[in-house]
C-alpha cells in the first residue's frame, strides 16, 4: 500500500499552538496545544491495546503551552510539568488532515473510476479458489468493487452455503426481512417484491426503506435456462456528476430533499427517508438512494414539488440510458457483487429458469477488509 502520510518539513510555535509545514500543503497547518495533548499517540493518552483515547479530554488545561520538536518525522511536545511527552505520528496527521495526498473518509479506500461507458469497466478475471484463498485474489476482487462498483467471480459452488462463504470473505452477511442468504426465483414468490418476477427490472438500489441501506449486494447464480435475464448495473455516481455539471440546481435539490421509501408485507411495514444523493461534508457523493418501485407517498411545498419532479426525472433519464448499462449474463457458478451505495442494479426480461442466492453486506465491513488487505500488501 502506498504510504500517503504527510511529511513534516518544518515547524514553528506560539501561544496558539504549533505551525507545522507539510510537504503536500501550501500553507502551514496549525495544531493547537490542546489538540496535540488530546490526540497524542503516547501511552498516557492512547490505549495501545484498544487504540481508544485514554486521556480525559475535558480535564486538559487549554491554556498550557509546550516545546515542540520533530524527530524522525514525528512531532514531539514536552510540557513544563510532569505530563508525559505528547507524540503526533504521521499516521495520526494522515487520519486528521484531509489533503489531496491524504484523503479523508471512504475515498482513501475507494479509488473510484466513474464510468458512463460500460466499455470502461475492466474487471479482473477471477475464479472461486483465488478469492477464497485470500491474499491477492481477494484483494483484486475487492478493488474491482471499490473502483468500478461491481465485481465478478467464476466457478462458485451452487448452494447457499458456498454463497455465504464467498460473501464472508468480505464481511458477515447482513440479516434483513428476507433472511440471511435468500433464494431468488420467478417460480417462488417468497416475498412481496418486484424482484420475484421475469420482467425487466429497471436500475435501482435495494433497501431504500432501511435507515442504514445495505452497502453491498451479492448474487450467485444457481440455475439458468432460457433466454435473456442479463444482470445490469449503472454507475449512479457518474450519472449524478453528469447532472451536477448540466444542472447544479437539480443536483442540489436531489441532495436536499429526503424521499421516503417503504416495504409492506404481512406483518411488516418498513419506512425510511433520505435524499436521493447523500453527500459528505466536502460535497462529495457518498450514497445514492433511488428506487421508484419502493418510493412512498410524500408531498412537498407547492414551490418545490415541480422542481423536485423535474430533477428526479432528469436523473432517472440519465441512469436509464441503456447505452450506459453494464451487463452480464450470469451462468451457474457465477457471482456478482454490486456496491449498493454507488451503482444501481437491475435485470433484463427473461424466459426459462433463473435461480440465484443473494444477500447483503455492510459498507463499513467492506471498507474495513479493504484497508486490512491494503495494509498487508
Amino acid at each position: 500500500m502506498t504510504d500517503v502520510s504527510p511529511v513534516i518539513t518544518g515547524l514553528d510555535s506560539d501561544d496558539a499552538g504549533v505551525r507545522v509545514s507539510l510537504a503536500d500543503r501550501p500553507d502551514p497547518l496549525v495544531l493547537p496545544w490542546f489538540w496535540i495533548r488530546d490526540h497524542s499517540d503516547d501511552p498516557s493518552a492512547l490505549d495501545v491495546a484498544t487504540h481508544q483515547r485514554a486521556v480525559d479530554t475535558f480535564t486538559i488545561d487549554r491554556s498550557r503551552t509546550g516545546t515542540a520538536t520533530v524527530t524522525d518525522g514525528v512531532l514531539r511536545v514536552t510540557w513544563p510539568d510532569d505530563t508525559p511527552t505528547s507524540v503526533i505520528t504521521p499516521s495520526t496527521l494522515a487520519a486528521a488532515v484531509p489533503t489531496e495526498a491524504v484523503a479523508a473518509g471512504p475515498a482513501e479506500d475507494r479509488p473510484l473510476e466513474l464510468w458512463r461507458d460500460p466499455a470502461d469497466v475492466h474487471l479482473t478475471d477471477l475464479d472461486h479458489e483465488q478469492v477464497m484463498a485470500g491474499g491477492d485474489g481477494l484483494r483484486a476482487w475487492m478493488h474491482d468493487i471499490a473502483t468500478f462498483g461491481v465485481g465478478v467471480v467464476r466457478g462458485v459452488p451452487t448452494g447457499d452455503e458456498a454463497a455465504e462463504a464467498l460473501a464472508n470473505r468480505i464481511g458477515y452477511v447482513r440479516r434483513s426481512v428476507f433472511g440471511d442468504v435468500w433464494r431468488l426465483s420467478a417460480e417462488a414468490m417468497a416475498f412481496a417484491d418486484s424482484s420475484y418476477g421475469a420482467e425487466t427490472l429497471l436500475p435501482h438500489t435495494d433497501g431504500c426503506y432501511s435507515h442504514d441501506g445495505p452497502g453491498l449486494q451479492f448474487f450467485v447464480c444457481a440455475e439458468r435456462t432460457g433466454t435473456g435475464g442479463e444482470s445490469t448495473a449503472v454507475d449512479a455516481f457518474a450519472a449524478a456528476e453528469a447532472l451536477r455539471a448540466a444542472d447544479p440546481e437539480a443536483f442540489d435539490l436531489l441532495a436536499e430533499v429526503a424521499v421516503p421509501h417503504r416495504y409492506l408485507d404481512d406483518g411488516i411495514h418498513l419506512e425510511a427517508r433520505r435524499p436521493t444523493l447523500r453527500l459528505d461534508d466536502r460535497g462529495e457523493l457518498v450514497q445514492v438512494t433511488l428506487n421508484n418501485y419502493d418510493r412512498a407517498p410524500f408531498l412537498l411545498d407547492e414551490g418545490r414539488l415541480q422542481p423536485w419532479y423535474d430533477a428526479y426525472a432528469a436523473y432517472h433519464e440519465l441512469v436509464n440510458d441503456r447505452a450506459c448499462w453494464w451487463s452480464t449474463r450470469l451462468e451457474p457458478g457465477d457471482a456478482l457483487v454490486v456496491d449498493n451505495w454507488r451503482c444501481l442494479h437491475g435485470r433484463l426480461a427473461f424466459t426459462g429458469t433463473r435461480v440465484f442466492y443473494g444477500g447483503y453486506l455492510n459498507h463499513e465491513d467492506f471498507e474495513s477488509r479493504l484497508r486490512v488487505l491494503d495494509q498487508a500488501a
Side-chain angles (χ1 to χ4, degrees), residues 18 32-46 55 60 64-71 74-89 92:
V18 180
W33 298 110
F34 167 83
W35 184 94
I36 291 171
R37 176 59 181 153
D38 187 45
H39 286 79
S40 177
D41 292 316
D42 79 278
S44 73
L46 186 72
V55 67
I60 299 173
R64 187 172 51 174
T65 64
T67 302
T69 59
V70 174
T71 306
V74 175
L75 174 65
R76 300 178 187 277
V77 172
T78 57
W79 306 101
D81 52 25
D82 59 356
T83 300
T85 297
S86 293
V87 176
I88 303 297
T89 62
T92 294

Side-chain angles (χ1 to χ4, degrees), residues 174 205-217 272-274 278 287-289 339-341 360-364:
R174 167 175 168 158
T205 56
D206 268 30
C208 302
Y209 40 75
S210 297
H211 293 300
D212 176 22
L216 292 90
Q217 183 164 7
R273 303 169 66 95
R274 60 179 165 272
R278 184 165 71 89
Q287 180 182 12
V288 169
T289 299
D339 184 335
N340 190 57
W341 284 13
Y360 300 123
L361 296 159
N362 292 317
H363 219 290
E364 64 265 25

Side-chain angles (χ1 to χ4, degrees), residues 217-240:
Q217 183 164 7
F218 66 89
F219 303 93
V220 179
C221 182
E223 299 178 37
R224 191 72 185 89
T225 63
T227 62
E230 289 83 357
S231 297
T232 62
V234 60
D235 189 341
F237 278 20

Side-chain angles (χ1 to χ4, degrees), residues 156-348:
V156 181
T158 54
D160 59 345
E161 292 183 358
E164 183 171 6
L166 178 65
N168 284 338
R169 299 304 287 144
I170 296 176
Y172 67 88
V173 175
R174 167 175 168 158
R175 188 168 181 82
S176 70
V177 293
F178 306 113
D180 297 323
V181 176
W182 28 261
R183 180 182 172 94
L184 175 66
S185 73
E187 293 77 25
M189 181 63 80
F191 296 92
D193 194 274
S194 55
S195 60
Y196 290 87
E199 68 281 356
T200 293
L201 201 58
L202 294 179
H204 62 280
T205 56
D206 268 30
C208 302
Y209 40 75
S210 297
H211 293 300
D212 176 22
L216 292 90
Q217 183 164 7
F218 66 89
F219 303 93
V220 179
C221 182
E223 299 178 37
R224 191 72 185 89
T225 63
T227 62
E230 289 83 357
S231 297
T232 62
V234 60
D235 189 341
F237 278 20
E241 292 299 349
L243 180 65
R244 175 153 38 187
D247 191 343
E249 291 184 357
F251 178 95
D252 290 344
L253 198 56
L254 294 183
E256 294 168 3
V257 174
V259 180
H261 295 81
R262 69 184 180 188
Y263 178 83
L264 302 176
D265 203 347
D266 290 342
I268 302 172
H269 183 158
L270 300 177
E271 189 161 331
R273 303 169 66 95
R274 60 179 165 272
T276 302
L277 307 177
R278 184 165 71 89
L279 310 180
D280 65 14
D281 58 334
R282 296 168 293 164
E284 298 295 330
L285 281 161
V286 174
Q287 180 182 12
V288 169
T289 299
L290 183 67
N291 190 323
N292 202 50
Y293 299 105
D294 292 344
R295 183 161 53 85
F298 82 118
L299 183 64
L300 296 173
D301 294 339
E302 184 178 1
R304 301 189 82 197
L305 185 61
Q306 190 59 52
W308 177 83
Y309 267 111
D310 291 342
Y312 194 67
Y315 190 45
H316 179 270
E317 183 177 356
L318 286 167
V319 298
N320 281 280
D321 180 351
R322 296 201 175 200
C324 299
W325 289 6
W326 174 88
S327 67
T328 183
R329 179 183 159 105
L330 298 177
E331 300 292 348
D334 292 343
L336 169 66
V337 171
V338 179
D339 184 335
N340 190 57
W341 284 13
R342 173 185 171 185
C343 286
L344 311 184
H345 68 277
R347 63 138 194 275
L348 302 184

Side-chain angles (χ1 to χ4, degrees), residues 118-141:
D120 293 332
V121 179
H122 304 292
L123 301 182
T124 310
D125 186 13
L126 293 165
D127 63 38
H128 179 250
E129 291 184 0
Q130 289 175 291
V131 172
M132 294 304 293
D136 291 342
L138 175 60
R139 185 168 178 262
W141 182 43

